[in-house]
Amino acid sequence: MLDVHRLSLLRELSIRGTISEVAAAMSYSPSSVSQQLSILEREAGVVLLRKSGRRLQLTPQAVLLVDHATELLDCLERAEAALAASSVTVTGTVRLAVFQTAALALIPQALQLLRERHAKVRIEMVQHEPETALHETWARDFDLVVAEQYPGHAAPHYAGLDRQLLTGDAIRLALPPVDGAAADFSAVSGLDAASELPWVMEPSGSASRHWAEQACRQAGFEPDVRFETADLQAHVRLVESGNAVAFLPDLVWVGREPHARLLGLEGDPRRTIFTAIRASSARHPAVRAIRSALEETARDLASFW
């Protein structure tokens, strides 16, 4: 009989691409991973891996086994969820991936709700970019991800991930406050008038950066991006201090009074925020508990905007 653990290593190789990356993800040595895959090949009685340059390429038989390994892991996860659901007390560890503004605006209250209702649930949170976090949740590095997508830029879809809308927020043009701002900032009454101003944006390649550049181009100009950072709190500080303008979603203002001038944009663009879990873990009480706490928090914050 084929060993499930070795099958999972083969699946990891199909996802990660190299033995060293599988070893790092699984906390093994590369030699141990190679040894286990060699044993699996002998058990299967067929060639599973071929060298392609410096990488290993999966044979068609290996791809077939990966598909079955995924089904087996899903089945085991469903069994674990059913077992956990049979208990009176909600327990377990949930590995959570979240982007920055959600970590600041949503997570603290959600954790408080969870602590009050299910004190034995342990949450382990990592801040991650949504595109990466979705892939890693599908790969089983995380159990739940809070992700975002900008208008016209759908986040990647992965088979077996269950998505649920959490909330949405408006994206606005953020300008320094009129008091103390330079004249060129104070005179701006719409996006087209910000063509000559310094901008702060997220790094190139991100969905938010692509959306922001397209919004400026549709308004008839190429933005002068002088400051680049993924930290939206840095965006806020640069705007409020009179050094830049930015596109900022409403969620960044939760918990603080904006000291910036916020202008609506044509078409009222909105960012979508959603959660995603593996469908095979959907019945796990701990996963359901944190998802429910996030949904309740989002409803409470909806009045903010």
Side-chain angles (χ1 to χ4, degrees):
M1 183 177 293
L2 297 174
D3 182 84
V4 174
H5 175 65
R6 295 183 188 116
L7 286 171
S8 69
L9 288 176
L10 183 65
R11 180 181 181 272
E12 287 292 324
L13 181 60
S14 73
I15 294 169
R16 315 284 178 185
T18 66
I19 294 290
S20 60
E21 290 181 25
V22 173
M26 304 292 285
S27 300
Y28 292 150
S29 67
S31 60
S32 176
V33 173
S34 295
Q35 182 183 37
Q36 291 300 307
L37 290 175
S38 295
I39 293 173
L40 177 63
E41 198 167 52
R42 290 199 299 273
E43 289 176 342
V46 295
V47 175
L48 298 177
L49 303 171
R50 290 195 179 96
K51 283 190 176 182
S52 178
R54 295 186 176 183
R55 300 174 73 89
L56 290 172
Q57 186 176 44
L58 274 66
T59 65
Q61 290 81 5
V63 173
L64 179 67
L65 285 181
V66 166
D67 290 340
H68 283 284
T70 300
E71 291 179 14
L72 285 170
L73 292 173
D74 285 346
C75 184
L76 288 172
E77 191 163 44
R78 285 193 294 271
E80 290 173 355
L83 184 62
S86 70
S87 176
V88 175
T89 304
V90 179
T91 63
T93 297
V94 180
R95 300 163 299 172
L96 174 64
V98 61
F99 64 97
Q100 185 197 47
T101 49
L104 293 171
L106 296 170
I107 297 302
Q109 183 178 333
L111 291 178
Q112 182 178 346
L113 291 172
L114 198 66
R115 188 168 58 252
E116 292 170 354
R117 298 167 184 175
H118 307 292
K120 293 189 177 181
V121 173
R122 174 186 173 92
I123 301 297
E124 297 177 353
M125 189 194 81
V126 174
Q127 183 179 315
H128 250 315
E129 290 303 308
E131 293 83 357
T132 302
L134 284 164
H135 178 270
E136 293 184 359
T137 301
W138 170 76
R140 299 176 186 273
D141 289 345
F142 298 107
D143 301 305
L144 185 149
V145 56
V146 181
E148 62 176 352
Q149 59 185 22
Y150 278 72
H153 294 78
H157 282 268
Y158 293 94
L161 284 191
D162 170 63
R163 292 190 183 196
Q164 285 188 15
L165 176 66
L166 189 59
T167 188
D169 56 351
I171 306 166
R172 307 181 197 273
L173 177 63
L175 297 141
V178 173
D179 294 340
D184 50 352
F185 287 101
S186 300
V188 174
S189 59
L191 179 56
D192 56 347
S195 60
E196 302 298 324
L197 297 179
W199 283 78
V200 55
M201 289 187 179
E202 294 196 51
S204 296
S206 64
S208 60
R209 174 64 173 269
H210 186 261
W211 177 86
E213 289 177 333
Q214 290 300 309
C216 291
R217 289 166 186 166
Q218 288 170 6
F221 67 93
E222 193 69 25
D224 178 11
V225 183
R226 299 189 198 177
F227 313 104
E228 186 177 283
T229 172
D231 184 349
L232 291 192
Q233 296 305 304
H235 290 216
V236 170
R237 293 295 297 275
L238 285 166
V239 170
E240 291 183 333
S241 61
N243 290 293
V245 297
F247 291 120
L248 289 174
D250 281 350
L251 203 63
V252 301
W253 306 111
V254 171
R256 60 171 293 167
E257 185 69 27
H259 295 293
R261 191 158 56 99
L262 303 176
L263 301 181
L265 297 168
E266 185 178 353
D268 298 321
R270 293 180 64 82
R271 179 180 62 163
T272 301
I273 300 167
F274 62 94
T275 60
I277 62 172
R278 289 181 300 281
S280 53
S281 70
R283 289 188 59 208
H284 197 292
V287 173
R288 294 175 65 179
I290 182 59
R291 204 178 207 186
S292 176
L294 285 165
E295 290 167 353
E296 184 172 337
T297 299
R299 288 194 297 272
D300 289 345
L301 292 178
S303 60
F304 179 83
W305 52 80

